[in-house]
Amino acid sequence: MIHLVWLVPFLPLLGFLINGLGRRYLSKSLTGVIGSSTILAGFVISLLIFFEVRQPGFAPQVVTLFDFISVGSLHIPFAFQVDQLSALFLLIITGVGSLIHIYSASYMHEESNEGFARYFAYLNLFVFSMLILVLGANYVMMFIGWEGVGLCSYLLIGFWFKNTAYNKAANKAFIMNRIGDLGFLLGIFLLIQQFGSVTFTDVFAQVPALGENSGILFAVAMLLFIGAMGKSAQVPLYTWLPDAMAGPTPVSALIHAATMVTAGIYMVARSNVIYTLAPCIQTIIAVVGLVTALLAATIALKQNDIKKVLAYSTVSQLGYMFIALGVGAYTAAVFHVMTHAFFKALLFLGSGSVIHAMGGEQDIRKMGGLKKWMPITNITFLIGCLAIAGIPGLSGFFSKDEILAHAFGFNKIIYAGALIGALLTAFYMFRLYYITFSGQFRGTHEQEHHLHESPAAITFPLIILAILSVIGGYVGMPEVFGVPHFLGEYLAPVFAPSVPFLHAHHLSHELEWILMGLSSGLVIIVIFFARSRFRNYQDSGVANTGLARVLENKWYVDELYDAVIVKPLMVLSGFFQDTVERSGIDATVNGVGRGVKWSSRQFRLLQNGQVGFYIFAMVIGMIVLFVISLFL
């Protein structure tokens, strides 16, 4: 099946073209079937490729379609690389993407025929771009997919483009990602200058010869990481992601779980040998990840919009993945990408089910007691909360505990910070759960009258994702349980080039048990604490003060960016517009035009039809030429 890997991105591209071009003629049912079936077919092919890849002795294969760029000695083919890492990401993208497409067919049914088709066309294009990103056999193809997901996020976040606030959110996401993209692009140029190639196999084969702490590797790793910071929403380029919830809820699920934000993690994991040989950058990645995880977790504590809590939760969890990359635990980072895709898609789609039942209301203070009306949404959402909190036995426990264990071996301060982040996660997620689903309903009588469980097209994906959130972690059980780490063994060939240079930190089994017991015990205590505070929540109506107010306003980071970057840039651009352009360049150009116009009017007067005047002018001219000739 590997030679047919091109079908995986081609099918969603086909769905995009059919739904996009036929948006005025296709019915909603046909649009939904085309949009969903193309992704589902891609998932089936991905599954067959996965089974082929996991065969013993499998060697990575490159499927070249055509010569994409050929300039001098530089040849960049349009080629797909099929190995353990890309095969795993294919499953995540097409698998979770399929469920989100099926969910969307019901969730977006209120849209007009044309809007419905436009939505599915964008969604298909988003999946296509992400597949190109993970399948590309070189950094240029990765960058094409990278820009594609950036464009699609802009289109989907601003899907309801008549709303000015949504358009601003789309612009914010687009502009902030361009900052990171510039770093990625410069990194590619540096790779070409240094290695004469951007193909993964060529670059990774030459990297070890440069040795550890090479200046070139330092620069390349830093530039690529700047790209990853933008796409995966790390400090300081994270503020676009919480605002990205302006788009339809299934879009939020796709961005946060299966596509865009995982791009940075994939890129660093794919470039693992470069980062392993640049330990300074690895330390920076771990610190940035920790700061991001803690900052976002503290903000999530005081948010009241159900989607905003989940958005900051995504930023925080991405921080955990970068901690894992920073400490050299590449498998743990990819493991958390996978489990996070299950429970974050579940939570976002669950929030969509709640919003659907509440008639568009997103403020959790106006909800409460929903478990009585929405049993399936309640149970599945609770499973998502338990998984992300890291309760033993669920998927999030295994991946997060693996990151914590590696962080402990790398640096105790990073471990302590990550552990605090895990406790904050448990607190804000169960604050969200209890305020939304427990206690008395606090909405209007009309909302209460319309409360109901969502239809099967919405609850079916929730049930599947809930099952995956429970069992998904068993592919990465730690060796302390006496079983092999299946995911680690599967991904080992991808990270093998880094192994000789990694500074491994082995923990004894006794210490692993202690760390697991400590984190699990503290998380359970925090959950019971949240339950005692929010199970019978009543909104006091009193405004927050002090630190709570600071957290409610997201540490005023947006205001800080506005004061330090946006306003000075606006003043500077106003100076260039008013002084340099209008009073300088425009005035000069317009002045020349006005001068020519005035001169032509004066010279026109010389042509008056009087022969005597013409003879006089001729004589004067001859005298002037004679005088000039005397001095030349």
Side-chain angles (χ1 to χ4, degrees):
M1 286 303 295
I2 288 178
H3 65 286
L4 294 178
V5 67
W6 59 273
L7 277 173
V8 181
F10 174 76
L11 288 169
L13 178 64
L14 187 64
F16 160 69
L17 293 174
I18 295 174
N19 280 332
L21 297 175
R23 64 187 183 280
R24 294 181 181 172
Y25 313 105
L26 298 173
S27 67
K28 288 183 185 176
S29 302
L30 190 55
T31 298
V33 169
I34 292 169
S36 304
S37 61
T38 51
I39 309 298
L40 201 56
F43 173 68
V44 173
I45 298 171
S46 302
L47 205 57
L48 295 174
I49 290 173
F50 173 77
F51 285 124
E52 202 168 329
V53 167
R54 69 187 294 270
Q55 293 295 322
F58 173 83
Q61 294 187 27
V62 175
V63 179
T64 303
L65 299 185
F66 53 88
D67 200 6
F68 182 47
I69 296 175
S70 185
V71 180
S73 60
L74 178 65
H75 298 285
I76 303 173
F78 195 93
F80 297 136
Q81 177 157 326
V82 181
D83 61 7
Q84 290 79 2
L85 187 61
S86 58
L88 181 66
F89 270 82
L90 287 187
L91 283 183
I92 295 172
I93 297 163
T94 56
V96 177
S98 299
L99 294 171
I100 292 171
H101 275 69
I102 293 169
Y103 178 99
S104 296
S106 175
Y107 191 84
M108 297 296 288
H109 209 263
E110 297 299 320
E111 288 292 318
S112 65
N113 271 24
E114 191 172 343
F116 193 77
R118 183 165 60 87
Y119 170 81
F120 269 94
Y122 290 164
L123 220 55
N124 279 179
L125 186 64
F126 206 155
V127 173
F128 162 76
S129 302
M130 192 64 197
L131 291 170
I132 291 293
L133 192 155
V134 300
L135 275 175
N138 54 67
Y139 283 101
V140 170
M141 282 196 63
M142 184 190 282
F143 189 73
I144 293 171
W146 195 271
E147 289 302 298
V149 294
L151 169 66
C152 294
S153 67
Y154 170 78
L155 295 172
L156 284 165
I157 293 168
F159 178 74
W160 290 308
F161 56 83
K162 293 180 181 177
N163 186 313
T164 305
Y166 295 175
N167 281 330
K168 287 183 177 177
N171 286 336
K172 187 176 184 180
F174 193 78
I175 293 167
M176 291 202 79
N177 271 283
R178 297 290 76 72
I179 300 170
D181 294 352
L182 178 62
F184 189 6
L185 199 57
L186 293 174
I188 292 175
F189 289 147
L190 197 53
L191 284 171
I192 294 173
Q193 187 270 332
Q194 179 63 32
F195 301 110
S197 173
V198 288
T199 301
F200 296 144
T201 50
D202 292 344
V203 172
F204 300 156
Q206 296 181 60
V207 163
L210 295 175
E212 198 169 294
N213 290 317
S214 158
I216 291 293
L217 288 184
F218 180 91
V220 168
M222 191 65 218
L223 288 170
L224 295 181
F225 177 56
I226 290 171
M229 287 164 67
K231 204 61 79 186
S232 294
Q234 294 297 286
V235 170
L237 303 178
Y238 74 97
T239 56
W240 66 270
L241 187 56
D243 289 355
M245 67 168 197
T249 300
V251 172
S252 304
L254 195 61
I255 291 176
H256 289 248
T259 56
M260 188 162 170
V261 297
T262 62
I265 315 296
Y266 172 80
M267 188 251 273
V268 176
R270 171 62 74 193
S271 312
N272 60 86
V273 66
I274 294 177
Y275 285 94
T276 304
L277 288 167
C280 294
I281 301 299
Q282 275 197 305
T283 304
I284 292 172
I285 292 174
V287 172
V288 168
L290 179 61
V291 171
T292 304
L294 290 175
L295 183 75
T298 54
I299 294 173
L301 293 173
K302 283 296 177 182
Q303 300 306 305
N304 295 313
D305 186 309
I306 186 170
K307 286 175 67 178
K308 203 158 240 180
V309 175
L310 297 179
Y312 278 105
S313 162
T314 300
V315 177
S316 182
Q317 296 305 306
L318 290 169
Y320 275 96
M321 296 171 205
F322 275 99
I323 290 173
L325 294 171
V327 302
Y330 301 112
T331 299
V334 176
F335 188 20
H336 203 51
V337 168
M338 187 186 80
T339 59
H340 180 262
F342 299 150
F343 54 70
K344 189 49 61 71
L346 169 62
L347 291 167
F348 260 111
L349 297 186
S351 74
S353 179
V354 169
I355 294 166
H356 182 261
M358 291 290 297
E361 180 61 67
Q362 296 186 195
D363 192 332
I364 58 175
R365 293 171 296 185
K366 298 174 182 174
M367 299 178 186
L370 296 186
K371 64 182 177 183
K372 185 168 67 177
W373 291 278
M374 309 180 71
I376 297 176
T377 303
N378 169 53
I379 291 295
T380 53
F381 200 91
L382 177 60
I383 290 172
C385 291
L386 291 168
I388 195 173
I391 291 296
L394 280 83
S395 59
F397 164 75
F398 294 109
S399 56
K400 191 178 288 187
D401 186 75
E402 190 170 332
I403 294 173
L404 289 174
H406 282 284
F408 185 87
F410 183 80
N411 184 292
K412 304 297 183 292
I413 296 174
I414 290 179
Y415 166 76
L419 181 60
I420 292 170
L423 302 182
L424 293 174
T425 302
F427 183 79
Y428 68 68
M429 285 308 303
F430 278 88
R431 169 182 176 268
L432 173 65
Y433 172 75
Y434 283 115
I435 292 178
T436 304
F437 290 97
S438 292
Q440 297 297 316
F441 184 69
R442 298 178 295 276
T444 64
H445 179 69
E446 185 181 356
Q447 286 173 326
E448 187 174 11
H449 182 69
H450 288 96
L451 284 175
H452 59 278
E453 184 56 276
S454 296
I458 288 180
T459 54
F460 171 72
L462 296 181
I463 294 169
I464 298 296
L465 287 167
I467 293 170
L468 291 171
S469 298
V470 174
I471 65 172
Y474 289 91
V475 298
M477 291 178 68
E479 292 180 5
V480 72
F481 284 94
V483 293
H485 194 299
F486 295 111
L487 188 66
E489 292 179 356
Y490 169 75
L491 290 173
V494 178
F495 303 130
S498 296
V499 172
F501 312 105
L502 276 175
H503 304 288
H505 304 279
H506 295 290
L507 304 180
S508 65
H509 286 343
E510 291 77 12
L511 188 53
E512 283 190 62
W513 280 114
I514 291 171
L515 293 178
M516 275 192 286
L518 178 66
S519 61
S520 302
L522 290 175
V523 162
I524 291 170
I525 291 171
V526 167
I527 291 173
F528 276 103
F529 177 63
R531 181 176 183 270
S532 68
R533 285 200 59 185
F534 302 112
R535 186 177 49 172
N536 296 309
Y537 173 82
Q538 287 296 328
D539 184 19
S540 64
V542 179
N544 286 319
T545 58
L547 180 61
R549 187 178 179 82
V550 173
L551 297 180
E552 187 181 14
N553 287 286
K554 300 161 281 183
W555 291 101
Y556 294 101
V557 173
D558 280 320
E559 288 77 2
L560 180 67
Y561 283 1
D562 194 51
V564 175
I565 300 173
V566 179
K567 285 182 178 173
L569 280 177
M570 293 296 285
V571 171
L572 190 62
S573 61
F575 167 77
F576 278 110
Q577 183 185 24
D578 297 336
T579 306
V580 177
E581 186 176 350
R582 289 181 181 167
S583 302
I585 298 171
D586 284 0
T588 303
V589 173
N590 292 335
V592 170
R594 281 195 292 269
V596 171
K597 195 174 178 181
W598 179 85
S599 301
S600 65
R601 279 202 304 270
Q602 306 312 311
F603 282 115
R604 183 170 55 83
L605 298 176
L606 297 175
Q607 192 176 1
N608 55 13
Q610 300 294 321
V611 176
F613 176 76
Y614 292 157
I615 294 173
F616 173 74
M618 184 180 69
V619 172
I620 294 298
M622 291 173 65
I623 294 171
V624 170
L625 290 173
F626 176 73
V627 172
I628 292 173
S629 67
L630 290 177
F631 295 98
L632 294 178

